């Protein structure tokens, strides 16, 4: 199935069109950024206070460091993961159903690949803003223990892409927004609770541990943890990165297909 | 050699599942022409426009836009089209001005130029005073004008307008017509669909009448009227008698007599003479109107139905 009017074998994206799509997203965001500061920044800070200081005071140490320092990298990854999924649910669905922004783009030289790539770039921008602020606060809490910590924004960008790309496909595909509640209930929340954010997955029964491995969040949390605490992640770094890249790549193809399908007639 | 047509179609077909919306039409639109599609709901006008706009692929047949193949050169063709779809899809999250600038950027226009172009176009459609405002509070006619301005942002070679004036008040329609005339004078090729025969007569050099996915007639508005109707039409309304019964009695008056649910139409070379004759033959009408033939009459004759149902 080819996107409408796109030559087979032609470049799927053009940089100028992709940037134009990103620009539109940022123009809209500029108007609502104040609200998003709350979820992207204040929320994780409240997490840190509640879990790191409140719960941490009772838990003591995990893996040789205090609990706050242990969960910071996980919460960082979880923030990227949740922001990405959230921004690719209703906003993408709405741009097909309500604003019909994608239908407007389709009448221009913008290709389906540009629509997908432009929105993914926007997600990365959003996630980086949230991550940067969060890192700063974590540094103030004294939770960054390794010179590798500045690599976490890169990991967060990958986690965001790995979560956003498939979610865009879902948002373009579903006929009803009720599906998003299921995604949150059965993917986002379990990933956050059991994906190595608040406690090591080794504490999970061995049979369910592979479920955590399936979540991009666990790979991101472990890479971030290695970066902020200076340890070695459970899998080779290349394996963790490979899983994230595979999610992002497969997700992008899925998104491209679902977008094309939704826009063709 | 004749100039190459900007739009060329042969045996163009669009099917949705088993349903055939466009049933093998031939088209040829020359540069600078104003070309119209006239037809009732569901005739296949929008389906055809969407294929021309390269957002919907033909099921069968040949289609060339600007000499290119929509199936393989979609983005290159769309770069030179301006599209005003039947349903507005302005971006409600952006201001009026941002709608134009953002859209210009989709065509790869540099920011500064996009800004200037947006300001010019807002003047052109008389929305400059709303530039910084939201889209949602605009009236239907203002939104339509903004959509048309947006379609012009890339200085297109062909402008596709799907029912540009539906839902507008007469004043807004006339403003739009005037703007479309200006474009035409600048040599822009216009392709539009409409339910309004006066619009088609005013704006189109040439038009096709579509019905049930087929082209049932084509030519200039004048030629169509000359070919399929008479110069004048008498509209007769009666009190008690049903138009169908009266029509039987009036057989032979003028060139042709048609009964509509609410009136009888007599087609004639000379309307006044035919009206007098009808008076003699039939019952006394409650009202008589002699008028020029319009495309509506052509359509009625060709399809047996009225345009706006
Ligand atoms: N995406 C689609 N899926 C299925 N059927 C469609 C689709 N688009 C159009 N149709 C059908 O094709 C036929 C022609 O529709 P089209 O929109 O081209 O008509 P139109 O001449 O533009 O009518 P109108 O004057 O009401 O706008 C209609 O019967 C319509 O239901
Ligand atoms: Mg239509």
């Amino acid at each position: 199935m080819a996107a409408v009017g796109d030559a087979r074998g032609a470049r799927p994206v053009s940089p100028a069109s992709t940037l134009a799509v990103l620009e539109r997203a940022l123009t809209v965001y500029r108007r609502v950024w104040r609200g998003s500061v709350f979820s992207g920044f204040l929320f994780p800070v409240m997490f840190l206070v509640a879990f790191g200081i409140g719960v941490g005071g009772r838990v003591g140490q995990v893996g040789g460091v205090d609990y706050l320092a242990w969960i910071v990298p996980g919460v960082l990854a979880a923030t990227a993961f949740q922001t990405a999924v959230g921004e690719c649910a209703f906003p993408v669905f709405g741009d097909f159903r309500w604003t019909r922004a994608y239908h407007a783009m389709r009448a221009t030289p913008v290709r389906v690949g540009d629509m997908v790539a432009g929105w993914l770039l926007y997600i990365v921008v959003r996630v980086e803003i949230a991550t940067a602020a969060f890192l700063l606060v974590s540094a103030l809490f004294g939770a960054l223990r390794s010179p590798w910590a500045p690599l976490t924004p890169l990991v967060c960008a990958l986690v965001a892409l790995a979560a956003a790309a498939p979610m865009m496909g879902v948002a373009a595909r579903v006929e009803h927004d009720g599906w998003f509640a299921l995604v949150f209930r059965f993917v986002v929340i379990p990933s956050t609770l059991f994906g190595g954010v608040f406690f090591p997955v080794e504490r999970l029964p061995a049979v369910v541990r592979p479920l955590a491995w399936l979540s991009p969040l666990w790979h991101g949390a472990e890479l971030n943890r290695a970066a902020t605490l200076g340890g070695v992640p459970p899998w080779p770094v290349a394996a963790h990165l490979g899983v994230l890249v595979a999610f992002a790549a497969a997700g992008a193809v899925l998104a491209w297909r679902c977008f094309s399908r939704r826009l063709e007639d | 050699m004749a100039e190459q047509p900007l739009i060329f179609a042969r045996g163009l077909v669009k099917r949705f599942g088993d349903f055939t919306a466009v049933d093998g039409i031939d088209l040829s639109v020359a540069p600078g022409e104003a070309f119209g599609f006239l037809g009732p709901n569901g005739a296949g006008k929008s389906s055809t426009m969407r294929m021309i706009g390269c957002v919907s692929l033909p099921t069968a047949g040949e289609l060339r836009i600007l000499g290119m193949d929509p199936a393989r050169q979609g983005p290159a063709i769309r770069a030179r089209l301006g599209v005003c779809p039947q349903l507005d899809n302005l971006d409600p999250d952006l201001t009026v001005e941002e709608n134009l600038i953002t859209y210009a950027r989709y065509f790869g226009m540099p920011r500064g130029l996009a800004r200037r172009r947006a300001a010019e176009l807002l003047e052109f459609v008389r929305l400059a005073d709303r530039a910084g405002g939201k889209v949602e509070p605009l009236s239907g006619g203002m939104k339509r004008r903004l959509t048309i301005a947006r379609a012009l942002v890339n200085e297109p070679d062909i402008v596709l307008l799907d029912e540009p004036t539906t839902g507008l008040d007469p004043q807004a329609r006339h403003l739009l017509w005037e703007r479309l005339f200006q474009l035409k004078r600048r040599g822009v090729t216009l392709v539009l669909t409409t339910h309004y025969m006066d619009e088609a007569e005013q704006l189109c050099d040439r038009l096709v009448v579509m019905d049930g996915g087929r082209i049932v007639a084509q030519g200039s508005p004048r030629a169509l009227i000359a070919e399929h109707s008479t110069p004048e039409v008498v509209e007769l309304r009666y009190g008690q008698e049903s138009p169908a019964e009266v029509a039987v009695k009036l057989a032979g008056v003028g060139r042709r007599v048609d009964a509509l649910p609410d009136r009888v139409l007599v087609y004639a070379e000379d309307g006044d003479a035919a009206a007098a004759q009808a008076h003699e033959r039939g019952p006394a009408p409650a009202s008589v109107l002699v008028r020029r033939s319009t495309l509506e009459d052509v359509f009625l004759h060709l399809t047996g139905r009225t345009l706006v149902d």
Side-chain angles (χ1 to χ4, degrees), chain B residues 161-181:
Chain B
L161 303 145
D162 198 347
E163 298 192 22
T165 66
T166 296
L168 300 198
D169 67 28
Q171 199 191 343
R173 285 179 75 197
H174 283 280
L175 172 64
L176 261 185
W177 286 359
E178 198 246 318
R179 291 307 187 236
L180 295 178
F181 265 126

Side-chain angles (χ1 to χ4, degrees), chain B residues 144-155:
Chain B
R144 214 62 194 138
R145 266 141 63 190
L146 182 56
T147 304
I148 290 174
R150 196 184 64 175
L152 301 176
V153 90
N154 58 328
E155 305 204 302

Side-chain angles (χ1 to χ4, degrees), chain B residues 110-121:
Chain B
R111 277 213 142 252
L113 181 60
R115 224 178 273 278
R116 279 200 301 282
R117 187 90 185 115
E120 267 170 40
L121 284 168

Side-chain angles (χ1 to χ4, degrees), chain A residues 264-265, chain B residues 14-17 19-22 37-50 56 86 162-163 166 193-195 210 212-213 307 309:
Chain A
E264 89 181 353
D265 71 343
Chain B
K14 182 71 194 183
R15 279 192 210 99
F16 297 104
F19 179 78
T20 305
V22 177
F37 290 91
L38 195 61
N41 292 135
K45 304 182 297 294
S46 297
S47 304
T48 306
M49 290 289 260
R50 292 156 51 70
S56 157
Q86 183 166 355
D162 198 347
E163 298 192 22
T166 296
T193 76
T194 181
H195 293 286
M210 281 189 85
L307 264 175
D309 41 25

Side-chain angles (χ1 to χ4, degrees), chain A residues 2-8 10 16-17 19-25 27-28 30-31 95 98-112 263-265, chain B residues 14 16 50 53-57 69-76 78-81 83 87-95 98 102-103 105-108 111 134 150:
Chain A
V4 174
D6 291 1
R8 218 151 302 193
S17 297
L19 279 182
V21 175
L22 169 65
E23 262 181 53
R24 178 225 165 219
T27 308
V28 175
R30 225 177 36 195
R31 203 154 293 128
D95 279 346
W98 304 321
T99 71
R100 295 178 70 77
Y102 291 121
H103 294 82
M105 289 179 199
R106 179 188 45 163
T108 73
V110 172
R111 298 154 204 245
V112 168
L263 291 174
E264 89 181 353
D265 71 343
Chain B
K14 182 71 194 183
F16 297 104
R50 292 156 51 70
C54 302
V55 296
S56 157
L57 285 179
D69 176 3
R72 295 188 14 254
Q73 290 152 293
R78 292 194 293 265
R80 293 168 59 190
L81 301 182
V83 180
L87 295 176
D88 288 324
N89 54 17
L90 297 164
D91 203 322
D93 298 327
L94 301 175
T95 65
E98 284 167 353
T102 302
Y103 207 71
R105 300 285 294 151
Y106 294 157
F107 288 88
R111 277 213 142 252
K134 284 263 178 199
R150 196 184 64 175

